[in-house]
Amino acid sequence: MDLHILDHRLRVTSISKNGLVNFTHPLIKLIFLRNRTRCKFFSLTETPENYTVVLDEEGFKGKTHLLSFHTPTTLVPFQHVSVFMLSTYQTDFILVRHEKDLSVVISTLEEEFNIYKEVGGESVPVHCQDVSSGLQKNGKEAIQPTVHPVLIPQNQFCVMSLDPDTLPSIATTLIDVLFYSSSPKEDTQSSPNQDLDCIKFFSFSLIDGYISLVMDTEAQRQFPADLLFTSSSGELWRMVRIGGQPLGFDECGIVAQISQPLADSDISAYYISTFSFDHALVPEEDIVSVTDMLQHQRKEPATS
Amino acid sequence: MDLHILDHRLRVTSISKNGLVNFTHPLIKLIFLRNRTRCKFFSLTETPENYTVVLDEEGFKGKTHLLSFHTPTTLVPFQHVSVFMLSTYQTDFILVRHEKDLSVVISTLEEEFNIYKEVGGESVPVHCQDVSSGLQKNGKEAIQPTVHPVLIPQNQFCVMSLDPDTLPSIATTLIDVLFYSSSPKEDTQSSPNQDLDCIKFFSFSLIDGYISLVMDTEAQRQFPADLLFTSSSGELWRMVRIGGQPLGFDECGIVAQISQPLADSDISAYYISTFSFDHALVPEEDIVSVTDMLQHQRKEPATS
């Protein structure tokens, strides 16, 4: 498999639930008005706690006067390195906090991936020693990290895409879901309380012109069925949410804690990090074995 | 002709050009998300100076925590009474500032209109004495008001409507024009400066489920041609803008100053008041005679 080192320099920030109204103007521009922004990497994810925004320097520049970005206080670890994972419909992104961490990630991954870097428009193979020769490889002998609590909500999720040219067709629905879903609809009877075992989670990303959407089946019903598409029709996913309290920045191995056993069992997964939690989406038919695996891991944390 | 007294209680307010970003969230809700608001009367008009918002108590209530409404300081006069005119594609509205002014308006208009009021779901005829018997009629003997300067910009305007069900189809274009047209597009060469003799003017209203749009032909080109419709294809209007400086609240007769000569000459017009100015739209083919008429009026202000 190939892995490409990209040049994007990204910012990860959070917006509080009540604070979203103040960022409606720049966010709508980033989502819908491609000809008014140079931003090439944008992601907005709603969780019960807050919104996580990832965007590149160009997107950031365009609105420094509006968005007072926090310094990211939690990024999600990958073996010994803090990484932020963002799986989309099209591809997976691993965001590394420091330039120096790149070599650790490359060293960890080069056994399984062919790693490339864009140089003058061409993809050039990269090896660990090209990036930094002074670092020790982090192999399977990695120190066992803290085992974090996991939550497995009941909702079913879909990972979808959309032709960017049809984005205007779902604009009002997407705006409604992203910016107004917390406020009650006034002309309808109040809907039954959402199942307490369900989680509010919605993610939109627009990266290099490709759109990816992750939402549960309840949100999906609000969109026209003919515009959003999944890789295989009706493919549903369940979520494993990791981290019971805000994750400390320096905690490592949170994704690894679940990704390693999943990979060992050949279970595919999407990973989405947010400001305070990590989320893994696994195929619905595998959720029982994943649950068993996680319970086992928690009973015997020292032996994996 | 019939004239109906409506029960709407409306607020007129202005939002500064730079302040619009702060009101994007409530305004987008009022424009696009009908099922999230009880507002039945909403109008947003952009002029070079600011945005004028008219909305009913329900629309206002929904966002008191967001919109810090100004007390309207200028409403536009109608004979001896300050009124605010809002012509739409479907109908004309005359907003009266005080309940007591209603009788003056009725008394002025009852020679030409059958006036009705909604009582228990039925339209009941109204006469001046029903509203207030203590007021003297204001007839043609009205005192000649101050003659205000007029401006006749070069752009051509269209007055259009749209099926509310197709509003989502133009959402991104409308959002772009309303909320982002002041900022430059970043991926295109900067467009040639707008003709200095042209005026920035765009008006959107959503009243009792009917949509009306007033825009110049340059803005119109951004919308899909098949969704917006005019009463007769290609009908274009020119603007007469009245008031060289912010109009004082107590100034009366500003609309009358132009509406009377237009009516005398059988020239139809749309009137749109904003926070600081009045605007009359007249058919393009009549603009020469209207210009002549206004010049004549200014030369002999005491003899009309």
Side-chain angles (χ1 to χ4, degrees), chain A residues 5 60 66 71 75 77 101 104 116 137 173 234 248 278 289 299 303:
Chain A
I5 300 173
F60 182 75
L66 290 171
T71 308
L75 288 177
D101 296 338
V104 180
Y116 297 95
K137 268 195 169 188
T173 309
D278 279 335
S289 56
K299 280 181 195 147
T303 62

Side-chain angles (χ1 to χ4, degrees), chain A residues 3 19 22 29 58-59 91 97 144 156 168 182 222 279 300:
Chain A
L3 188 147
N22 304 317
K29 180 165 140 183
E58 288 292 344
T91 185
R97 188 174 166 89
Q144 181 65 25
Q156 301 167 305
S182 315
Q222 299 180 53
H279 309 80
E300 306 173 38

Side-chain angles (χ1 to χ4, degrees), chain A residues 87-121:
Chain A
S87 296
T88 67
Y89 179 86
Q90 294 83 11
T91 185
D92 294 322
F93 297 94
I94 303 168
L95 280 55
V96 179
R97 188 174 166 89
H98 302 291
E99 199 91 20
K100 65 176 173 58
D101 296 338
L102 203 55
S103 58
V104 180
V105 172
I106 291 169
S107 122
T108 309
L109 294 174
E110 68 180 353
E111 280 169 35
E112 292 177 61
F113 294 91
N114 302 312
I115 302 177
Y116 297 95
K117 189 172 177 146
E118 194 98 340
V119 177

Side-chain angles (χ1 to χ4, degrees), chain B:
Chain B
M1 277 175 84
D2 294 348
L3 189 147
H4 294 262
I5 300 173
L6 306 176
D7 273 341
H8 295 295
R9 292 182 178 275
L10 305 172
R11 307 235 185 178
V12 179
T13 186
S14 74
I15 297 175
S16 74
K17 289 274 170 160
N18 291 333
L20 190 74
V21 294
N22 304 316
F23 300 115
T24 309
H25 193 269
L27 290 173
I28 282 183
K29 180 165 140 182
L30 288 165
I31 296 170
F32 295 107
L33 305 177
R34 279 184 293 161
N35 60 354
R36 292 202 180 273
T37 167
R38 286 206 183 90
C39 179
K40 298 285 182 226
F41 197 113
F42 172 78
S43 154
L44 174 65
T45 301
E46 179 178 12
T47 62
E49 300 76 29
N50 53 29
Y51 296 85
T52 298
V53 178
V54 184
L55 77 175
D56 61 17
E57 294 283 338
E58 290 292 345
F60 182 74
K61 253 191 266 172
K63 54 179 183 173
T64 38
H65 61 295
L66 290 170
L67 281 185
S68 61
F69 271 70
H70 312 263
T71 308
T73 54
T74 63
L75 289 178
V76 176
F78 180 89
Q79 300 286 27
H80 287 191
V81 177
S82 286
V83 299
F84 186 100
M85 295 285 295
L86 184 63
S87 297
T88 67
Y89 179 87
Q90 294 84 12
T91 185
D92 293 322
F93 297 94
I94 303 167
L95 281 53
V96 179
R97 187 174 166 87
H98 302 290
E99 198 90 21
K100 65 176 174 55
D101 295 339
L102 202 56
S103 58
V104 179
V105 172
I106 292 170
S107 120
T108 309
L109 294 173
E110 68 180 353
E111 279 169 33
E112 292 178 60
F113 294 91
N114 302 313
I115 301 177
Y116 298 93
K117 189 173 180 147
E118 193 97 339
V119 177
E122 272 182 74
S123 289
V124 178
V126 174
H127 300 287
C128 183
Q129 51 271 37
D130 298 344
V131 184
S132 162
S133 52
L135 272 153
Q136 220 188 325
K137 267 194 171 191
N138 290 276
K140 303 265 177 184
E141 70 279 11
I143 300 152
Q144 181 65 26
T146 316
V147 174
H148 290 273
V150 297
L151 178 74
I152 302 180
Q154 293 300 312
N155 20 1
Q156 301 166 306
F157 289 88
C158 345
V159 179
M160 288 180 291
S161 189
L162 175 72
D163 181 341
D165 292 337
T166 64
L167 184 59
S169 313
I170 64 158
T172 50
T173 309
L174 189 55
I175 286 173
D176 196 4
V177 168
L178 279 176
F179 295 96
Y180 300 88
S181 57
S182 315
S183 63
K185 296 195 182 185
E186 295 198 4
D187 72 342
T188 53
Q189 296 296 318
S190 59
S191 62
N193 287 328
Q194 200 178 354
D195 186 338
L196 289 176
D197 295 332
C198 287
I199 191 172
K200 180 135 201 171
F201 186 94
F202 188 98
S203 185
F204 170 90
S205 65
L206 175 53
I207 299 171
D208 287 331
Y210 291 98
I211 294 170
S212 174
L213 292 145
V214 178
M215 66 185 86
D216 69 7
T217 49
E218 192 184 318
Q220 185 201 10
R221 277 192 291 274
Q222 298 180 52
F223 289 88
D226 55 336
L227 292 175
L228 300 179
F229 48 87
T230 53
S231 50
S232 83
S233 170
E235 200 175 20
L236 292 176
W237 302 77
R238 288 285 296 278
M239 177 182 289
V240 179
R241 180 175 223 230
I242 311 160
Q245 58 278 328
L247 303 171
F249 167 73
D250 286 322
E251 291 195 77
C252 297
I254 296 176
V255 165
Q257 172 180 321
I258 183 164
S259 64
Q260 194 59 55
L262 290 183
D264 290 347
S265 309
D266 259 339
I267 294 174
S268 58
Y270 287 98
Y271 297 98
I272 300 180
S273 301
T274 61
F275 215 67
S276 314
F277 291 90
D278 280 335
H279 309 82
L281 294 173
V282 299
E284 185 168 41
E285 61 266 29
D286 295 321
I287 191 68
V288 173
S289 57
V290 170
T291 307
D292 288 350
M293 185 191 303
L294 289 166
Q295 279 175 347
H296 179 77
Q297 192 185 50
R298 264 139 200 80
K299 280 182 194 147
E300 305 173 39
T303 62
S304 74

Side-chain angles (χ1 to χ4, degrees), chain A residues 15 17 19 39 42 59 65 69 76 88 90 100 103 105 108 153-154 156-157 174 179 197 220 238 258 264 291:
Chain A
I15 297 175
K17 288 275 171 160
C39 180
F42 172 78
H65 61 295
F69 273 69
V76 176
T88 67
Q90 294 83 11
K100 65 176 173 58
S103 58
V105 172
T108 309
Q154 292 301 312
Q156 301 167 305
F157 289 87
L174 189 56
F179 296 96
D197 294 332
Q220 186 201 10
R238 289 284 296 278
I258 183 164
D264 291 347
T291 307

Side-chain angles (χ1 to χ4, degrees), chain A residues 2-13:
Chain A
D2 293 348
L3 188 147
H4 293 262
I5 300 173
L6 306 176
D7 272 341
H8 295 295
R9 292 181 178 274
L10 306 172
R11 307 236 184 177
V12 178
T13 186

